[in-house]
Amino acid sequence: MKLDQIHNIYFLGIGGIGMSALARYFKRLGKNVAGYDKTQTDLTQIMEEEGIPIHYDDDVELIPVKFFEKENTIVVITPAIPTNQEEWAFFKKNAYTIKKRAEVLGIITADTYCFAVAGTHGKTTTSTILGHLLYDAGVDVTAFVGGISENYGTNLIGSGKTVTVVEADEFDRSFMQLSPDKACITSMDADHLDIYGDEQAIRSTFIDFAAKIKNPNDLYVAEGLELKGVNVGVENGGDYSISDIEIIDGHYSFTINTPLERIPNVTFSLPGKHNLSNALMAFAMAYDYGVSAEKLVRALATFKGIQRRFSYQIKSDKLVYIDDYAHHPTEIQAVYQAIRSLYPNKRNKVVFQPHLFSRTQDFMDGFAASLAQFDSVDLLEIYPARELPIKGVTSQALLHKIDNPNKRLLTKEDLISSLKDRDYDVLITLGAGDIGAMVNNIKILLNETI
């Protein structure tokens, strides 16, 4: 399929972070873009302001007239859309060209030099850092990222036609649609077991993805992963590593060791060893592509972060409030370690909203262990997303497993008022559901208590 011959792009689930980046990309190209989503969000409102019509009722009559021109239209879908959705049924019945988001990304990137960032954790952070490094260095790049960059206020960095940066998503084996020139794998932990069944199956799929890179010098592998490629690890003495780590005024200062040179006095502001690893991975890929160390060091120092990735909402001597997208035990553990290293003598409280019944079932013990380390734990009900309830899988069951006397189960309605009782110095909200929509109201309330 040649996208330059298509005039109309219609999105089912346009409000998703990955779908919206594609929608904005096609809008920039001058295509007619519109879509449906079940929920209005800040992101959908921004797209509407950018001239993309969006409606929120599943109704074929709300589809703009020009998108009934079947020959000139493709429909892009997300797996979150239920198969009985009325508009999707209409497009299938009338034999429209329907593509998954990953397929469209594959078509877009086929004619570019493509960097693909894969891994159970770290995809969004690493791809956003990489997009920033390349764009700041003047590379003709477009980066499709799974979060809102604080530097650019968007999930679409640049508008280049030569180089692309994409998140290689393992969900539904989507990343097998891509044909990357360079790729990295940040982690291969068990996840999406509703799709894969067991950890071995997901690891095998990552290995299949790695095999798409014919030259091992173009595959970048995080420490601990048994794959042939360029080894990238913070302190493991790999092909790329970091040494001389210091924390100065809340920022990291360190030396990057490459196969060619040592690069001292590098600064980076995102906390946590996992973020140092993500930054090093992005650095290695851009450095081997040919961007100078001087430009990369400058860009790392100016990277501001990503919304909902260890995102400071309040940072004062009296109170710190951090919001993060973490929704897997390994990610929660990484956040905890960063909190303890930055604020070792301050009382912390975590508010966690589990995401998906299946994930909660698969990692119940892991969630309990990682959450129990915080000084106190507030738990919300499970955010179901695309799933129906599973018998016995509840937040109450998870709460029971958390070995911490300072724990409670709250409704979203009760949470904000309960936070007025300031028995903490550092508050952390975690989860991939709609807890993100509560952040602003929590921030307003906490500012009143300082």
PDB file of all heavy atoms in Angstrom, residues 290-319:
ATOM      1  N   GLY A 290      26.217   8.224  14.130  1.00  0.00           N
ATOM      2  CA  GLY A 290      27.136   9.237  13.633  1.00  0.00           C
ATOM      3  C   GLY A 290      26.994  10.606  14.267  1.00  0.00           C
ATOM      4  O   GLY A 290      27.694  11.552  13.873  1.00  0.00           O
ATOM      5  N   VAL A 291      26.114  10.740  15.243  1.00  0.00           N
ATOM      6  CA  VAL A 291      25.976  12.025  15.931  1.00  0.00           C
ATOM      7  C   VAL A 291      27.164  12.200  16.873  1.00  0.00           C
ATOM      8  O   VAL A 291      27.557  11.268  17.583  1.00  0.00           O
ATOM      9  CB  VAL A 291      24.649  12.103  16.709  1.00  0.00           C
ATOM     10  CG1 VAL A 291      24.527  13.450  17.411  1.00  0.00           C
ATOM     11  CG2 VAL A 291      23.477  11.873  15.769  1.00  0.00           C
ATOM     12  N   SER A 292      27.735  13.386  16.907  1.00  0.00           N
ATOM     13  CA  SER A 292      28.941  13.623  17.705  1.00  0.00           C
ATOM     14  C   SER A 292      28.639  13.560  19.199  1.00  0.00           C
ATOM     15  O   SER A 292      27.530  13.871  19.655  1.00  0.00           O
ATOM     16  CB  SER A 292      29.539  14.987  17.377  1.00  0.00           C
ATOM     17  OG  SER A 292      28.720  16.035  17.885  1.00  0.00           O
ATOM     18  N   ALA A 293      29.641  13.160  19.960  1.00  0.00           N
ATOM     19  CA  ALA A 293      29.496  13.096  21.413  1.00  0.00           C
ATOM     20  C   ALA A 293      29.137  14.472  21.988  1.00  0.00           C
ATOM     21  O   ALA A 293      28.329  14.585  22.913  1.00  0.00           O
ATOM     22  CB  ALA A 293      30.781  12.576  22.041  1.00  0.00           C
ATOM     23  N   GLU A 294      29.728  15.517  21.432  1.00  0.00           N
ATOM     24  CA  GLU A 294      29.465  16.873  21.926  1.00  0.00           C
ATOM     25  C   GLU A 294      27.979  17.224  21.822  1.00  0.00           C
ATOM     26  O   GLU A 294      27.381  17.740  22.764  1.00  0.00           O
ATOM     27  CB  GLU A 294      30.301  17.878  21.136  1.00  0.00           C
ATOM     28  CG  GLU A 294      30.092  19.321  21.564  1.00  0.00           C
ATOM     29  CD  GLU A 294      30.879  20.300  20.704  1.00  0.00           C
ATOM     30  OE1 GLU A 294      31.530  19.856  19.734  1.00  0.00           O
ATOM     31  OE2 GLU A 294      30.828  21.507  21.002  1.00  0.00           O
ATOM     32  N   LYS A 295      27.369  16.921  20.680  1.00  0.00           N
ATOM     33  CA  LYS A 295      25.953  17.213  20.500  1.00  0.00           C
ATOM     34  C   LYS A 295      25.081  16.350  21.420  1.00  0.00           C
ATOM     35  O   LYS A 295      24.072  16.825  21.959  1.00  0.00           O
ATOM     36  CB  LYS A 295      25.549  16.996  19.041  1.00  0.00           C
ATOM     37  CG  LYS A 295      26.108  18.035  18.086  1.00  0.00           C
ATOM     38  CD  LYS A 295      25.647  17.778  16.657  1.00  0.00           C
ATOM     39  CE  LYS A 295      26.163  18.846  15.712  1.00  0.00           C
ATOM     40  NZ  LYS A 295      25.711  18.616  14.307  1.00  0.00           N
ATOM     41  N   LEU A 296      25.465  15.102  21.591  1.00  0.00           N
ATOM     42  CA  LEU A 296      24.671  14.201  22.418  1.00  0.00           C
ATOM     43  C   LEU A 296      24.735  14.594  23.887  1.00  0.00           C
ATOM     44  O   LEU A 296      23.731  14.536  24.601  1.00  0.00           O
ATOM     45  CB  LEU A 296      25.148  12.760  22.219  1.00  0.00           C
ATOM     46  CG  LEU A 296      24.911  12.183  20.826  1.00  0.00           C
ATOM     47  CD1 LEU A 296      25.505  10.786  20.719  1.00  0.00           C
ATOM     48  CD2 LEU A 296      23.418  12.151  20.501  1.00  0.00           C
ATOM     49  N   VAL A 297      25.903  14.981  24.360  1.00  0.00           N
ATOM     50  CA  VAL A 297      26.049  15.419  25.755  1.00  0.00           C
ATOM     51  C   VAL A 297      25.200  16.664  26.004  1.00  0.00           C
ATOM     52  O   VAL A 297      24.523  16.786  27.029  1.00  0.00           O
ATOM     53  CB  VAL A 297      27.534  15.677  26.091  1.00  0.00           C
ATOM     54  CG1 VAL A 297      27.672  16.379  27.438  1.00  0.00           C
ATOM     55  CG2 VAL A 297      28.301  14.363  26.099  1.00  0.00           C
ATOM     56  N   ARG A 298      25.230  17.581  25.051  1.00  0.00           N
ATOM     57  CA  ARG A 298      24.411  18.799  25.178  1.00  0.00           C
ATOM     58  C   ARG A 298      22.929  18.453  25.248  1.00  0.00           C
ATOM     59  O   ARG A 298      22.181  18.989  26.076  1.00  0.00           O
ATOM     60  CB  ARG A 298      24.670  19.716  23.979  1.00  0.00           C
ATOM     61  CG  ARG A 298      23.862  21.019  23.999  1.00  0.00           C
ATOM     62  CD  ARG A 298      23.976  21.735  22.668  1.00  0.00           C
ATOM     63  NE  ARG A 298      23.317  20.981  21.599  1.00  0.00           N
ATOM     64  CZ  ARG A 298      23.550  21.160  20.306  1.00  0.00           C
ATOM     65  NH1 ARG A 298      24.443  22.041  19.905  1.00  0.00           N
ATOM     66  NH2 ARG A 298      22.884  20.453  19.405  1.00  0.00           N
ATOM     67  N   ALA A 299      22.475  17.528  24.403  1.00  0.00           N
ATOM     68  CA  ALA A 299      21.061  17.176  24.365  1.00  0.00           C
ATOM     69  C   ALA A 299      20.629  16.417  25.624  1.00  0.00           C
ATOM     70  O   ALA A 299      19.532  16.639  26.142  1.00  0.00           O
ATOM     71  CB  ALA A 299      20.760  16.347  23.115  1.00  0.00           C
ATOM     72  N   LEU A 300      21.468  15.523  26.130  1.00  0.00           N
ATOM     73  CA  LEU A 300      21.124  14.813  27.371  1.00  0.00           C
ATOM     74  C   LEU A 300      20.911  15.797  28.518  1.00  0.00           C
ATOM     75  O   LEU A 300      20.009  15.624  29.339  1.00  0.00           O
ATOM     76  CB  LEU A 300      22.220  13.817  27.743  1.00  0.00           C
ATOM     77  CG  LEU A 300      22.227  12.476  27.019  1.00  0.00           C
ATOM     78  CD1 LEU A 300      23.414  11.641  27.480  1.00  0.00           C
ATOM     79  CD2 LEU A 300      20.922  11.706  27.261  1.00  0.00           C
ATOM     80  N   ALA A 301      21.746  16.824  28.569  1.00  0.00           N
ATOM     81  CA  ALA A 301      21.642  17.809  29.648  1.00  0.00           C
ATOM     82  C   ALA A 301      20.350  18.612  29.574  1.00  0.00           C
ATOM     83  O   ALA A 301      19.864  19.114  30.602  1.00  0.00           O
ATOM     84  CB  ALA A 301      22.841  18.751  29.606  1.00  0.00           C
ATOM     85  N   THR A 302      19.766  18.710  28.389  1.00  0.00           N
ATOM     86  CA  THR A 302      18.550  19.520  28.231  1.00  0.00           C
ATOM     87  C   THR A 302      17.279  18.684  28.206  1.00  0.00           C
ATOM     88  O   THR A 302      16.190  19.237  28.048  1.00  0.00           O
ATOM     89  CB  THR A 302      18.622  20.345  26.935  1.00  0.00           C
ATOM     90  OG1 THR A 302      18.705  19.458  25.808  1.00  0.00           O
ATOM     91  CG2 THR A 302      19.821  21.271  26.943  1.00  0.00           C
ATOM     92  N   PHE A 303      17.397  17.370  28.384  1.00  0.00           N
ATOM     93  CA  PHE A 303      16.206  16.525  28.342  1.00  0.00           C
ATOM     94  C   PHE A 303      15.391  16.738  29.615  1.00  0.00           C
ATOM     95  O   PHE A 303      15.875  16.572  30.719  1.00  0.00           O
ATOM     96  CB  PHE A 303      16.601  15.056  28.220  1.00  0.00           C
ATOM     97  CG  PHE A 303      15.416  14.129  28.081  1.00  0.00           C
ATOM     98  CD1 PHE A 303      14.689  14.088  26.904  1.00  0.00           C
ATOM     99  CD2 PHE A 303      15.025  13.323  29.136  1.00  0.00           C
ATOM    100  CE1 PHE A 303      13.591  13.254  26.779  1.00  0.00           C
ATOM    101  CE2 PHE A 303      13.951  12.476  29.021  1.00  0.00           C
ATOM    102  CZ  PHE A 303      13.218  12.441  27.840  1.00  0.00           C
ATOM    103  N   LYS A 304      14.101  17.104  29.437  1.00  0.00           N
ATOM    104  CA  LYS A 304      13.255  17.479  30.575  1.00  0.00           C
ATOM    105  C   LYS A 304      12.391  16.338  31.102  1.00  0.00           C
ATOM    106  O   LYS A 304      11.820  16.445  32.176  1.00  0.00           O
ATOM    107  CB  LYS A 304      12.350  18.646  30.178  1.00  0.00           C
ATOM    108  CG  LYS A 304      13.090  19.925  29.835  1.00  0.00           C
ATOM    109  CD  LYS A 304      12.113  21.019  29.432  1.00  0.00           C
ATOM    110  CE  LYS A 304      12.833  22.297  29.050  1.00  0.00           C
ATOM    111  NZ  LYS A 304      11.870  23.363  28.625  1.00  0.00           N
ATOM    112  N   GLY A 305      12.267  15.270  30.312  1.00  0.00           N
ATOM    113  CA  GLY A 305      11.465  14.153  30.784  1.00  0.00           C
ATOM    114  C   GLY A 305      10.204  13.956  29.967  1.00  0.00           C
ATOM    115  O   GLY A 305      10.009  14.546  28.906  1.00  0.00           O
ATOM    116  N   ILE A 306       9.321  13.116  30.514  1.00  0.00           N
ATOM    117  CA  ILE A 306       8.085  12.719  29.852  1.00  0.00           C
ATOM    118  C   ILE A 306       6.963  12.771  30.874  1.00  0.00           C
ATOM    119  O   ILE A 306       7.150  12.393  32.034  1.00  0.00           O
ATOM    120  CB  ILE A 306       8.200  11.270  29.313  1.00  0.00           C
ATOM    121  CG1 ILE A 306       9.456  11.122  28.441  1.00  0.00           C
ATOM    122  CG2 ILE A 306       6.964  10.867  28.535  1.00  0.00           C
ATOM    123  CD1 ILE A 306      10.084   9.771  28.566  1.00  0.00           C
ATOM    124  N   GLN A 307       5.833  13.248  30.447  1.00  0.00           N
ATOM    125  CA  GLN A 307       4.699  13.275  31.355  1.00  0.00           C
ATOM    126  C   GLN A 307       4.381  11.863  31.837  1.00  0.00           C
ATOM    127  O   GLN A 307       4.375  10.913  31.059  1.00  0.00           O
ATOM    128  CB  GLN A 307       3.479  13.882  30.669  1.00  0.00           C
ATOM    129  CG  GLN A 307       3.601  15.369  30.399  1.00  0.00           C
ATOM    130  CD  GLN A 307       2.379  15.947  29.723  1.00  0.00           C
ATOM    131  OE1 GLN A 307       1.316  15.343  29.705  1.00  0.00           O
ATOM    132  NE2 GLN A 307       2.529  17.139  29.149  1.00  0.00           N
ATOM    133  N   ARG A 308       4.145  11.726  33.129  1.00  0.00           N
ATOM    134  CA  ARG A 308       3.817  10.463  33.791  1.00  0.00           C
ATOM    135  C   ARG A 308       4.977   9.467  33.770  1.00  0.00           C
ATOM    136  O   ARG A 308       4.768   8.267  33.884  1.00  0.00           O
ATOM    137  CB  ARG A 308       2.559   9.818  33.211  1.00  0.00           C
ATOM    138  CG  ARG A 308       1.319  10.702  33.244  1.00  0.00           C
ATOM    139  CD  ARG A 308       0.058   9.916  33.578  1.00  0.00           C
ATOM    140  NE  ARG A 308       0.089   9.386  34.920  1.00  0.00           N
ATOM    141  CZ  ARG A 308      -0.236   8.136  35.237  1.00  0.00           C
ATOM    142  NH1 ARG A 308      -0.606   7.286  34.298  1.00  0.00           N
ATOM    143  NH2 ARG A 308      -0.173   7.721  36.493  1.00  0.00           N
ATOM    144  N   ARG A 309       6.196   9.931  33.658  1.00  0.00           N
ATOM    145  CA  ARG A 309       7.373   9.087  33.840  1.00  0.00           C
ATOM    146  C   ARG A 309       8.256   9.772  34.889  1.00  0.00           C
ATOM    147  O   ARG A 309       9.051  10.632  34.576  1.00  0.00           O
ATOM    148  CB  ARG A 309       8.153   8.877  32.533  1.00  0.00           C
ATOM    149  CG  ARG A 309       7.395   8.229  31.393  1.00  0.00           C
ATOM    150  CD  ARG A 309       6.783   6.889  31.769  1.00  0.00           C
ATOM    151  NE  ARG A 309       6.300   6.129  30.631  1.00  0.00           N
ATOM    152  CZ  ARG A 309       5.131   6.302  30.011  1.00  0.00           C
ATOM    153  NH1 ARG A 309       4.311   7.263  30.421  1.00  0.00           N
ATOM    154  NH2 ARG A 309       4.777   5.529  29.004  1.00  0.00           N
ATOM    155  N   PHE A 310       8.069   9.386  36.163  1.00  0.00           N
ATOM    156  CA  PHE A 310       8.726  10.040  37.296  1.00  0.00           C
ATOM    157  C   PHE A 310       8.608  11.561  37.143  1.00  0.00           C
ATOM    158  O   PHE A 310       9.581  12.300  37.178  1.00  0.00           O
ATOM    159  CB  PHE A 310      10.194   9.631  37.413  1.00  0.00           C
ATOM    160  CG  PHE A 310      10.690   9.612  38.837  1.00  0.00           C
ATOM    161  CD1 PHE A 310      10.634   8.456  39.584  1.00  0.00           C
ATOM    162  CD2 PHE A 310      11.181  10.755  39.428  1.00  0.00           C
ATOM    163  CE1 PHE A 310      11.076   8.431  40.908  1.00  0.00           C
ATOM    164  CE2 PHE A 310      11.632  10.757  40.739  1.00  0.00           C
ATOM    165  CZ  PHE A 310      11.583   9.583  41.487  1.00  0.00           C
ATOM    166  N   SER A 311       7.384  11.984  36.950  1.00  0.00           N
ATOM    167  CA  SER A 311       7.099  13.380  36.648  1.00  0.00           C
ATOM    168  C   SER A 311       6.815  14.154  37.939  1.00  0.00           C
ATOM    169  O   SER A 311       5.841  13.880  38.642  1.00  0.00           O
ATOM    170  CB  SER A 311       5.876  13.455  35.713  1.00  0.00           C
ATOM    171  OG  SER A 311       5.527  14.781  35.447  1.00  0.00           O
ATOM    172  N   TYR A 312       7.675  15.115  38.239  1.00  0.00           N
ATOM    173  CA  TYR A 312       7.491  15.941  39.434  1.00  0.00           C
ATOM    174  C   TYR A 312       6.291  16.867  39.241  1.00  0.00           C
ATOM    175  O   TYR A 312       6.253  17.660  38.308  1.00  0.00           O
ATOM    176  CB  TYR A 312       8.732  16.774  39.708  1.00  0.00           C
ATOM    177  CG  TYR A 312       9.845  16.031  40.409  1.00  0.00           C
ATOM    178  CD1 TYR A 312      10.908  15.496  39.689  1.00  0.00           C
ATOM    179  CD2 TYR A 312       9.837  15.871  41.790  1.00  0.00           C
ATOM    180  CE1 TYR A 312      11.936  14.807  40.325  1.00  0.00           C
ATOM    181  CE2 TYR A 312      10.865  15.192  42.441  1.00  0.00           C
ATOM    182  CZ  TYR A 312      11.909  14.662  41.706  1.00  0.00           C
ATOM    183  OH  TYR A 312      12.919  13.983  42.344  1.00  0.00           O
ATOM    184  N   GLN A 313       5.341  16.758  40.140  1.00  0.00           N
ATOM    185  CA  GLN A 313       4.205  17.669  40.166  1.00  0.00           C
ATOM    186  C   GLN A 313       4.416  18.783  41.190  1.00  0.00           C
ATOM    187  O   GLN A 313       4.034  19.925  40.973  1.00  0.00           O
ATOM    188  CB  GLN A 313       2.925  16.899  40.498  1.00  0.00           C
ATOM    189  CG  GLN A 313       2.629  15.745  39.551  1.00  0.00           C
ATOM    190  CD  GLN A 313       2.440  16.210  38.128  1.00  0.00           C
ATOM    191  OE1 GLN A 313       1.702  17.160  37.870  1.00  0.00           O
ATOM    192  NE2 GLN A 313       3.101  15.546  37.186  1.00  0.00           N
ATOM    193  N   ILE A 314       5.023  18.419  42.310  1.00  0.00           N
ATOM    194  CA  ILE A 314       5.402  19.377  43.349  1.00  0.00           C
ATOM    195  C   ILE A 314       6.793  18.992  43.822  1.00  0.00           C
ATOM    196  O   ILE A 314       7.067  17.807  44.076  1.00  0.00           O
ATOM    197  CB  ILE A 314       4.416  19.363  44.540  1.00  0.00           C
ATOM    198  CG1 ILE A 314       3.010  19.748  44.090  1.00  0.00           C
ATOM    199  CG2 ILE A 314       4.890  20.304  45.647  1.00  0.00           C
ATOM    200  CD1 ILE A 314       1.953  19.613  45.178  1.00  0.00           C
ATOM    201  N   LYS A 315       7.666  19.973  43.954  1.00  0.00           N
ATOM    202  CA  LYS A 315       9.019  19.702  44.434  1.00  0.00           C
ATOM    203  C   LYS A 315       9.455  20.864  45.311  1.00  0.00           C
ATOM    204  O   LYS A 315       9.899  21.899  44.822  1.00  0.00           O
ATOM    205  CB  LYS A 315       9.972  19.524  43.240  1.00  0.00           C
ATOM    206  CG  LYS A 315      11.354  18.993  43.604  1.00  0.00           C
ATOM    207  CD  LYS A 315      12.179  18.757  42.347  1.00  0.00           C
ATOM    208  CE  LYS A 315      13.514  18.110  42.665  1.00  0.00           C
ATOM    209  NZ  LYS A 315      14.337  17.888  41.443  1.00  0.00           N
ATOM    210  N   SER A 316       9.264  20.693  46.616  1.00  0.00           N
ATOM    211  CA  SER A 316       9.621  21.738  47.564  1.00  0.00           C
ATOM    212  C   SER A 316      10.255  21.085  48.792  1.00  0.00           C
ATOM    213  O   SER A 316      10.259  19.859  48.928  1.00  0.00           O
ATOM    214  CB  SER A 316       8.388  22.545  47.984  1.00  0.00           C
ATOM    215  OG  SER A 316       7.555  21.775  48.843  1.00  0.00           O
ATOM    216  N   ASP A 317      10.777  21.911  49.678  1.00  0.00           N
ATOM    217  CA  ASP A 317      11.379  21.386  50.900  1.00  0.00           C
ATOM    218  C   ASP A 317      10.341  20.705  51.780  1.00  0.00           C
ATOM    219  O   ASP A 317      10.653  19.769  52.522  1.00  0.00           O
ATOM    220  CB  ASP A 317      12.053  22.518  51.684  1.00  0.00           C
ATOM    221  CG  ASP A 317      13.256  23.092  50.950  1.00  0.00           C
ATOM    222  OD1 ASP A 317      13.817  22.362  50.100  1.00  0.00           O
ATOM    223  OD2 ASP A 317      13.620  24.248  51.205  1.00  0.00           O
ATOM    224  N   LYS A 318       9.092  21.152  51.692  1.00  0.00           N
ATOM    225  CA  LYS A 318       8.048  20.626  52.565  1.00  0.00           C
ATOM    226  C   LYS A 318       7.327  19.413  51.980  1.00  0.00           C
ATOM    227  O   LYS A 318       6.801  18.578  52.719  1.00  0.00           O
ATOM    228  CB  LYS A 318       7.027  21.725  52.862  1.00  0.00           C
ATOM    229  CG  LYS A 318       7.592  22.890  53.658  1.00  0.00           C
ATOM    230  CD  LYS A 318       6.508  23.922  53.946  1.00  0.00           C
ATOM    231  CE  LYS A 318       7.062  25.075  54.771  1.00  0.00           C
ATOM    232  NZ  LYS A 318       6.002  26.099  55.031  1.00  0.00           N
ATOM    233  N   LEU A 319       7.271  19.339  50.657  1.00  0.00           N
ATOM    234  CA  LEU A 319       6.487  18.270  50.037  1.00  0.00           C
ATOM    235  C   LEU A 319       6.998  17.979  48.629  1.00  0.00           C
ATOM    236  O   LEU A 319       7.310  18.896  47.872  1.00  0.00           O
ATOM    237  CB  LEU A 319       5.006  18.673  49.963  1.00  0.00           C
ATOM    238  CG  LEU A 319       4.064  17.694  49.253  1.00  0.00           C
ATOM    239  CD1 LEU A 319       3.952  16.382  50.029  1.00  0.00           C
ATOM    240  CD2 LEU A 319       2.687  18.308  49.062  1.00  0.00           C
TER     241      LEU A 319
END
